[in-house]
Amino acid sequence: MCITKDTLLHHIERYRNDLIEIVQLKGMTSEEAIEKSQALDHLLNQYNQYFNEESQQR
């Protein structure tokens, strides 16, 4: 599945907002916060990889 840069940015923003809300409600060390943080890390890694590949093609 090919994901676009804009789609990644949208997901990153959504996950970041979700994480902020979870941390405010349940704390930074809650299981839900940790899971959301790990998912956000994964998205950020994908975004980084996208740009690394893009810059190598130039």
Side-chain angles (χ1 to χ4, degrees):
M1 180 175 102
C2 185
I3 191 164
T4 67
K5 176 181 154 185
D6 289 337
T7 301
L8 271 174
L9 287 172
H10 174 77
H11 287 301
I12 288 167
E13 187 65 27
R14 192 181 85 223
Y15 273 60
R16 183 173 32 175
N17 289 333
D18 289 350
L19 180 57
I20 290 168
E21 187 175 323
I22 291 166
V23 167
Q24 289 173 341
L25 294 173
K26 299 182 179 185
M28 190 180 304
T29 58
S30 69
E31 186 175 333
E32 193 175 349
I34 292 169
E35 288 173 3
K36 187 63 76 167
S37 177
Q38 290 172 342
L40 178 58
D41 286 345
H42 179 73
L43 288 171
L44 291 168
N45 288 336
Q46 283 184 305
Y47 189 77
N48 254 349
Q49 183 179 2
Y50 179 91
F51 273 107
N52 286 337
E53 290 172 1
E54 190 176 84
S55 66
Q56 290 176 357
Q57 293 176 359
R58 291 182 189 171

